[in-house]
């Protein structure tokens, strides 16, 4: 059972040494009780306290790292069922499945696609995180060679050994031990052998059983054999099985503190049609998967799934922001209109999208207002005449326009007079109140 | 440790409503659980996808979706017939775009005639949408509600600035009504209260908390919808129990990802697949957040979403 902060505090050294990063042992204990920190952050904790606290203080869903190096991804560690309650913590890893009986060239190509999958979106670098290599050939020497090849061609991706044959897995794990591959998977029949391999090589192990109940029995068995980093597969294949099983698993872990299901979840969403597969992948991404295995990673599909993952894992309390600068939209020239807005990403996307729709090449000055929208930023004193004037002067845009005219969002028309006073030599024009009126506005001016 | 299925049972229930006439009438809503969790509750009706058409050629739609309808979109009756016959649409959403002052400014009488023509020719349940111009919609939707009298349509959208006249028209002609507010659960609740205070039955109401496209604020819509569902089910708040609308197509088919060609943005891959995936994923996400009724544009995206619903039911 979970212990309260005060119960935990009694077991701590009570030295207030601050080595854990908290000002007092009590503060650390309180955070520990909420699952926001791990006991290992306290260097002086006694063995006795470790034992007592071990189970109780562990976060409800275990978090660990998939792969190694800079691009390794942390999975698990989730604390809520709904993203409005609190941020979803660790974005799910996206992986592509390759069969080992494809040609060598094709395997190398797919691995290279993974290595080159990175896309920048709103300042975040997003990519395919892992490769799952499926043992389809029945030839363990071939499997080992393919695993090595894929690992070499995608040097930073995490590797998932999709293989139920213990001997083949063991050889492959040893071949790329430094990459810390995830073994997928142990079943009830192979739990002993697979757990030994995972433990001996310090790699995570996926447990696969039919439904959450059988799965919980299997993870207890694996844990008893000394494997801590476990991934769950309830056998869910259809969208319904995915949403229902994943909901049951996450609720068990978070609401019942049921440890045997307190691990990250893996879902295979393989479908023949890639657009349809993207739809089923969205079900897994939104509904609690920590690893989603795809059958293909076309660029358009990656972009769409990365975007969904980024949207859903955004902190609901911290607005997404874009970089402060003057953006060119279309083939902007010195004669193009210059508009200004704030750096709330949604505001930027909507305004820049409508400018694009107008097909009138324009410049959009995006001002840092800590991610607030226009009206909110104005109300909070961050989008004022003097701050806008300072931003425009410092941006250097003046030297790039032939006509010193600034178009202000209609919502803050009230600023136009004082802004004209502060921006000497500039004309301030009031633009539309709503972004959807921008195309008409810009086309009207261009005519 | 013994596993116990973590079921939740709610006191509240999503209201169900039907629209359309005769054997083509369709029902939405009625579930007493979070989306698709049949292991703990009833999900009597599958979410419904309506095919979007408009009263003028879709010049502002990106080519990928515009071209699908190029031979039929000159006339709304032909277009609606195509949706019924070729796409097997279960419902059609007719947007009266050309009534917008900036898009042709056609009169309310013109709109009423269009509605009458479509209803006379095509017996698929109809959703009648204004052009999202607060003042003009108040005129147009009143005329449209009258023209569709007796057809049990959904009309919308009633917003804070125009709901009074539109509610009165829906009431007089016995239609269902969409109440739209802008991405805020409190505004959605307030508008539903104002509308029911006029004597409009909450069982005829649909909540549109405002949709947004993938990558363009989807997370806001997603969370507002989830919160509305939780308020209706867990807190049994009757004002938060009407079915939810996801007006997906119009928010998707304007973003850069559905417009930019592959030569322009080589890193984004095929425009055709990308834009269809964009509408598909936006719609699927809305379903997971609690949407009961979707309005969509591309037949391939609709096909993918229908297949996803098949899997989810």
């Amino acid at each position: 059972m979970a212990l309260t902060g005060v119960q935990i505090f009694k077991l701590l050294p009570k030295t207030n040494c601050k080595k854990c990063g908290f000002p007092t042992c009590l503060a650390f204990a309180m955070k520990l009780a909420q699952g926001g920190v791990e006991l290992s952050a306290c260097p002086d904790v006694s063995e006795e306290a470790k034992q007592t606290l071990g189970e109780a203080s562990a976060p409800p869903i275990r978090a660990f790292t998939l792969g190694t190096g800079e691009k390794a991804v942390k999975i698990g560690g989730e604390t809520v069922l709904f993203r409005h309650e609190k941020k979803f913590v660790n974005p799910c890893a996206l992986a592509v499945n390759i069969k080992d009986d494809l040609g060598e060239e094709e395997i190398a190509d797919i691995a290279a696609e993974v290595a080159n999958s990175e896309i920048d979106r709103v300042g975040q670098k997003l990519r395919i995180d892992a490769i799952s290599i499926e043992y389809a050939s029945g030839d363990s020497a071939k499997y080992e060679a393919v695993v090595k090849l894929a690992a070499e061609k995608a040097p930073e991706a995490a590797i998932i050994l999709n293989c139920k044959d213990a001997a083949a897995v063991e050889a492959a794990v040893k071949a790329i031990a430094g990459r810390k591959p995830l073994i997928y998977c142990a079943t009830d029949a192979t739990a002993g052998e697979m757990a030994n391999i995972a433990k001996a090589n310090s790699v995570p192990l996926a447990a696969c059983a039919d439904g959450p109940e059988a799965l919980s029995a299997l993870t207890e068995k694996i844990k008893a054999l000394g494997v801590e980093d476990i991934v769950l597969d309830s056998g869910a294949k259809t969208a319904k099985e995915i949403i229902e099983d994943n909901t049951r698993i996450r609720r068990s872990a978070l609401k019942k503190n049921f440890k045997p299901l307190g691990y990250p979840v893996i879902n295979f969403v393989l479908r023949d049609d890639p657009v349809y597969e993207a739809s089923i992948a969205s079900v897994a991404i939104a509904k609690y998967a920590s690893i989603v295995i795809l059958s293909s990673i076309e660029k358009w599909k990656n972009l769409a799934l990365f975007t969904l993952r980024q949207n859903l894992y955004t902190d609901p309390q911290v607005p997404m922001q874009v970089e402060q600068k003057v953006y060119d939209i279309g083939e902007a020239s010195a004669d193009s209109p210059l508009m200004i807005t704030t750096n709330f990403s949604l505001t930027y996307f909507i305004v820049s999208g409508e400018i694009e729709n107008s097909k009138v090449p324009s410049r959009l000055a995006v001002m840092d207002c800590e991610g607030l929208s226009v009206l909110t930023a104005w109300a909070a004193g961050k989008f004022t005449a003097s701050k806008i004037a300072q931003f425009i002067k410092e941006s250097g845009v003046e030297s790039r326009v032939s006509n010193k005219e600034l178009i202000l969002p209609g919502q803050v028309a009230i600023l136009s007079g004082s802004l004209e006073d502060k921006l000497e030599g500039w004309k301030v024009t009031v633009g539309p109140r709503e972004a959807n009126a921008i195309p008409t506005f810009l086309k009207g001016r261009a005519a | 440790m013994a596993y116990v299925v973590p079921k939740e049972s709610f006191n509240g229930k999503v209201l169900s409503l039907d629209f359309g006439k005769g054997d083509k009438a369709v029902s939405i809503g009625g579930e007493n659980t979070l989306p698709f969790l049949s292991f703990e509750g009833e999900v009597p009706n599958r979410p419904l996808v309506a095919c979007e058409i408009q009263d003028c050629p879709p010049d502002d739609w990106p080519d990928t979706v515009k071209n699908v309808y190029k031979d039929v979109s000159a006339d709304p009756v032909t277009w609606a017939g195509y949706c019924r016959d070729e796409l097997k649409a279960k419902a059609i959403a007719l947007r009266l775009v050309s009534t917008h002052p900036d898009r042709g400014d056609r009169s309310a009488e013109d709109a009423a005639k269009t509605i009458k023509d479509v209803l006379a020719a095509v017996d698929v349940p109809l959703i009648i949408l204004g052009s999202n111009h607060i003042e003009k919609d108040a005129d147009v939707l009143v005329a449209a509600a009258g023209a569709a009298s007796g057809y049990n349509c959904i009309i919308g959208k009633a917003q804070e600035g125009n709901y009074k006249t539109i509610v009165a028209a829906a009431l007089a002609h016995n239609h269902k009504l969409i109440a739209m507010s802008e991405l805020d659960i409190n505004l959605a609740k307030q508008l539903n209260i104002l509308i029911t205070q006029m004597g409009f039955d909450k069982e005829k109401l649909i909540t549109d908390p405002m949709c947004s496209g993938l990558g363009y604020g989807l997370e806001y819509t997603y969370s507002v919808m989830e919160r509305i569902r939780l308020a209706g089910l867990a807190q049994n708040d009757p004002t938060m129990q009407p079915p939810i609308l996801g007006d997906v197509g119009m928010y998707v088919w304007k973003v850069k990802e559905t417009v930019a060609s592959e030569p322009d943005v080589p890193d984004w891959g095929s425009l055709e697949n990308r834009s269809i995936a964009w509408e598909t994923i936006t719609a699927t996400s809305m379903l997971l957040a609690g949407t009961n009724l979707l309005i969509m544009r591309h037949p391939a995206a609709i096909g993918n979403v229908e297949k996803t619903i098949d899997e989810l039911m």
Side-chain angles (χ1 to χ4, degrees), chain A residues 9 60 63 100 130 147 202 234 295 445:
Chain A
F9 174 65
D100 71 343
V147 166
S202 308
S234 66
S295 58
R445 287 168 49 96

Side-chain angles (χ1 to χ4, degrees), chain A residues 127-395:
Chain A
R127 66 186 77 83
I128 296 292
D129 308 282
I131 305 182
S132 150
I133 302 144
E134 183 178 342
Y135 184 50
S137 65
D139 172 350
S140 64
K142 183 184 178 103
Y143 187 62
E144 187 186 331
V146 166
V147 166
K148 271 198 205 158
L149 174 69
E152 180 200 332
K153 296 285 175 193
E156 296 183 289
I159 305 290
I160 298 167
L161 300 172
N162 180 359
C163 171
K164 295 190 170 69
D165 181 294
V169 157
E170 186 161 26
V173 168
K174 288 189 172 146
I176 56 157
R179 298 284 289 271
K180 285 212 172 273
L182 165 67
I183 299 176
Y184 177 93
C185 62
T187 60
D188 193 46
T190 61
E193 285 170 283
M194 290 292 195
N196 286 337
I197 299 167
K199 196 181 169 196
N201 295 283
S202 308
V203 299
L205 176 62
C208 186
D210 191 10
E213 183 160 20
L215 189 56
S216 66
L218 179 58
T219 61
E220 287 198 292
K221 194 165 163 181
I222 291 171
K223 185 163 188 273
L225 292 166
V227 177
E228 299 276 344
D229 293 340
I230 301 173
V231 172
L232 304 174
D233 183 357
S234 66
K237 290 286 180 286
T238 67
K240 175 147 216 98
E241 289 162 354
I242 289 171
I243 191 172
E244 290 200 336
D245 281 0
N246 291 6
T247 300
R248 284 187 275 231
I249 288 169
R250 186 170 288 191
R251 272 195 203 155
S252 296
L254 296 183
K255 298 192 129 180
K256 315 253 179 206
N257 201 21
F258 183 64
K259 295 291 177 191
L261 293 177
Y263 299 101
V265 168
I266 187 170
N267 289 137
F268 285 75
V269 298
L270 315 180
R271 300 289 187 280
D272 291 334
D273 175 341
V275 185
Y276 180 48
E277 179 174 285
S279 182
I280 305 302
S282 339
V283 176
I285 290 171
K287 288 295 165 186
Y288 315 141
S290 287
I291 306 175
V292 179
I293 312 280
L294 306 158
S295 58
S296 64
I297 48 165
E298 296 85 351
K299 286 174 178 172
W300 53 268
K301 190 161 129 195
N302 293 350
L303 180 71
L305 295 179
F306 294 167
T307 304
L308 179 67
R309 177 177 65 175
Q310 182 182 48
N311 283 174
L312 296 180
Y313 279 86
T314 299
D315 189 335
Q317 260 112 48
V318 182
M320 294 278 284
Q321 304 183 22
V322 294
E323 189 193 341
Q324 161 165 308
K325 70 173 190 180
V326 180
Y327 292 81
D328 281 1
I329 299 173
E331 302 285 325
S333 67
D335 296 325
S336 304
L338 171 67
M339 308 182 80
I340 185 163
T341 193
T342 66
N343 75 329
F344 176 36
S345 65
L346 206 51
T347 301
Y348 166 75
F349 278 138
I350 292 170
V351 171
S352 61
E354 293 293 355
I355 296 175
E356 270 180 38
N357 287 344
S358 77
K359 308 245 180 347
V360 177
S362 304
R363 289 202 162 109
L364 179 62
V366 173
M367 181 170 147
D368 183 358
C369 297
E370 293 165 33
L372 298 179
S373 63
V374 168
L375 211 50
T376 323
W378 170 74
K382 297 182 198 305
F383 197 57
T384 61
S386 49
K387 287 181 178 167
I388 294 171
Q390 188 188 357
F391 164 55
I392 290 296
K393 282 179 196 155
E394 288 172 5
S395 71

Side-chain angles (χ1 to χ4, degrees), chain A residues 83-84 121 220 238-240 244 248 251 255 258 271 275-276 279 287 300 304 307-308 311 344 346 349, chain B residues 1-2 6 8 36 38-40 215-217 219-220 223 226-227 268 273 284-285 304 308 311-312:
Chain A
R83 63 176 295 283
H84 62 263
R121 194 172 188 285
E220 287 198 292
T238 67
K240 175 147 216 98
E244 290 200 336
R248 284 187 275 231
R251 272 195 203 155
K255 298 192 129 180
F258 183 64
R271 300 289 187 280
V275 185
Y276 180 48
S279 182
K287 288 295 165 186
W300 53 268
T307 304
L308 179 67
N311 283 174
F344 176 36
L346 206 51
F349 278 138
Chain B
M1 237 184 266
E8 284 181 7
F36 309 107
S38 335
F39 71 90
E40 62 185 13
Y216 294 82
E219 68 273 29
Y220 294 89
S223 283
E226 281 199 328
R227 291 177 63 199
W268 288 2
N273 282 330
T284 298
S285 310
N304 284 318
T308 305
E311 274 198 36
L312 282 165

Side-chain angles (χ1 to χ4, degrees), chain B residues 44-77:
Chain B
N45 295 303
R46 60 184 274 146
L48 183 76
V49 185
C51 231
E52 179 177 350
I53 67 171
Q54 57 183 47
D55 64 346
C56 56
D59 298 327
D60 59 327
W61 293 13
D63 291 345
T64 309
V65 64
K66 185 167 63 187
N67 290 344
V68 174
Y69 300 109
K70 66 179 186 323
D71 296 332
V72 296
S73 57
D75 167 55
V77 173

